[in-house]
Amino acid sequence: QKEVEQDPGPLSVPEGAIVSLNCTYSNSAFQYFMWYRQYSRKGPELLMYTYSSGNKEDGRFTAQVDKSSKYISLFIRDSQPSDSATYLCAMPGSARQLTFGSGTQLTVLP
Amino acid sequence: DGGITQSPKYLFRKEGQNVTLSCEQNLNHDAMYWYRQDPGQGLRLIYYSQIVNDFQKGDIAEGYSVSREKKESFPLTVTSAQKNPTAFYLCASSGLAGVTTGELFFGEGSRLTVL
């Protein structure tokens, strides 16, 4: 079993839809939960991160962590074509090395 | 502008050749990383370095080598011993806090194709 599992998609939604992206993890020691966005043929960029459980909101993006279920989510409200990208969840482990999910490819159709 | 510069962006290699990918950062970050990305597999760590003249193997170091002679530079050599080198290679850096939080800054990547 991989430490971090992520549905690869692809996921295709109409403009304006609410998008839900999810990851599950197995290591209960994870404390920080990252979401990176990667446009085609580019390097990933950090979108947002949360520490421990709870929600964090940044504009149209909300990150949610449920440590009891080992489940994290990224919600995108009022999705735009410019949100079309691959979204990667990631968590730093005890060795301070990031473990990445495989990424979910999202397309927002105009 | 501060950032990470990777070169070349595209590289073609014949089997049996070694190639070196360049990574330079002007963010004054202590830690630097090399990742490999294959379709559907996310990012896998090849090597990382938290200080000059010191580096550690990641999950898939076989067939790769690195050096860290300067804080700003962390070149990756893909040797002929790497059996399946065709991939997208990403260099990243982080400050000391980022080593704990996982906040990395990535370059734009180098795509290596073995002919």
Side-chain angles (χ1 to χ4, degrees):
Chain A
Q1 182 191 5
K2 289 183 180 179
E3 275 195 302
V4 178
E5 299 273 5
Q6 186 174 8
D7 185 344
L11 183 61
S12 185
V13 301
E15 183 174 355
I18 296 174
V19 176
S20 172
L21 304 167
N22 311 294
C23 289
T24 59
Y25 63 94
S26 58
N27 189 341
S28 58
F30 289 149
Q31 292 289 331
Y32 289 89
F33 303 90
M34 331 293 289
W35 285 98
Y36 283 83
R37 178 175 62 194
Q38 184 177 22
Y39 291 113
S40 181
R41 299 188 182 89
K42 301 290 187 182
E45 57 180 342
L46 182 64
L47 193 57
M48 58 194 304
Y49 73 89
T50 54
Y51 175 73
S52 195
S53 283
N55 292 0
K56 184 175 182 180
E57 190 173 319
D58 184 1
R60 296 184 294 110
F61 299 88
T62 299
Q64 197 172 77
V65 176
D66 181 350
K67 292 192 76 177
S68 62
S69 301
K70 297 189 178 69
Y71 190 86
I72 70 170
S73 300
L74 178 70
F75 298 97
I76 307 174
R77 292 185 300 280
D78 188 24
S79 57
Q80 302 295 309
S82 58
D83 295 327
S84 298
T86 296
Y87 291 80
L88 299 145
C89 61
M91 298 143 205
S94 58
R96 298 181 174 180
Q97 295 179 29
L98 269 183
T99 300
F100 282 87
S102 55
T104 299
Q105 185 179 344
L106 171 67
T107 301
V108 181
L109 302 169
Chain B
D1 281 6
I4 299 178
T5 302
Q6 289 187 240
S7 63
K9 196 164 184 176
Y10 298 96
L11 185 61
F12 297 89
R13 185 193 99 173
K14 292 182 180 178
E15 283 192 24
Q17 287 181 334
N18 293 354
V19 293
T20 297
L21 308 180
S22 170
C23 178
E24 303 277 331
Q25 55 101 357
N26 59 5
L27 299 168
N28 198 32
H29 284 166
D30 290 292
M32 296 188 74
Y33 311 80
W34 274 105
Y35 286 90
R36 171 180 171 141
Q37 187 173 32
D38 296 282
Q41 293 197 43
L43 276 68
R44 293 182 290 167
L45 183 64
I46 304 172
Y47 270 98
Y48 66 102
S49 167
Q50 296 192 11
I51 195 168
V52 173
N53 292 323
D54 187 48
F55 47 83
Q56 285 78 41
K57 294 181 179 180
D59 299 323
I60 55 165
E62 186 175 349
Y64 299 97
S65 66
V66 293
S67 63
R68 187 86 187 275
E69 296 177 1
K70 298 187 300 181
K71 186 176 182 179
E72 302 79 18
S73 179
F74 192 40
L76 173 75
T77 296
V78 184
T79 75
S80 57
Q82 169 51 233
K83 297 304 177 190
N84 186 21
T86 294
F88 189 48
Y89 291 89
L90 288 157
C91 179
S93 71
S94 71
L96 288 177
V99 173
T100 300
T101 65
E103 184 176 4
L104 303 186
F105 294 80
F106 284 88
E108 297 230 316
S110 293
R111 186 166 300 276
L112 172 63
T113 302
V114 173
L115 303 172

